[in-house]
Amino acid sequence: MTLIAAALVGLIALLHVYILVLEMFLWTTPQAMKAFGTTPDLAAQTRVMAGNQGLYNGFLAAGLIWGLITGSAAIQLFFLACVAVAGLYGAATANRRILFIQTVPAALAILAVLLAR
């Protein structure tokens, strides 16, 4: 179970690195606009805001990676909970799809980390 938990935490960290790249560096590209449902005008107007969001996603990824490197379940659980809460907020305010992209995987990883203890 420890390997499964680590794999899930690692995949969620990679997802947030991917989101960081989309939001900080690729926000105005067709790939990012398709992923976030924006238009070229909206993407141009919100580029700075998206970069800030990307930085926060990078902090989530860094925390998850830190938890994996140290083997600390407490660190992993804290950052997984942050991901889950961010996903709940995003699903409630932006797009329900975020629930399945962020919250459900984070909840599964939380369960795996708790079972691995």
Side-chain angles (χ1 to χ4, degrees):
M1 185 53 93
T2 303
L3 183 59
I4 293 169
L8 289 173
V9 172
L11 286 172
I12 293 168
L14 287 175
L15 171 65
H16 282 81
V17 168
Y18 176 68
I19 295 169
L20 171 148
V21 171
L22 283 177
E23 291 177 339
M24 290 188 79
F25 306 110
L26 303 176
W27 186 249
T28 57
T29 66
Q31 179 184 2
M33 287 187 287
K34 181 180 178 191
F36 292 99
T38 59
T39 63
D41 286 341
L42 182 60
Q45 292 171 358
T46 58
R47 194 165 83 71
V48 173
M49 180 203 65
N52 191 47
Q53 277 180 201
L55 186 60
Y56 284 98
N57 277 293
F59 291 143
L60 291 173
L64 292 169
I65 293 165
W66 176 35
L68 286 171
I69 290 170
T70 62
S72 171
I75 293 170
Q76 292 173 38
L77 290 169
F78 173 79
F79 283 96
L80 289 168
C82 290
V83 169
V85 170
L88 286 172
Y89 184 79
T93 61
N95 187 326
R96 279 203 184 155
R97 193 176 62 169
I98 296 171
L99 184 71
F100 302 102
I101 293 170
Q102 263 186 285
T103 305
V104 170
L108 292 173
I110 287 169
L111 182 61
V113 170
L114 289 172
L115 290 174
R117 292 176 85 185

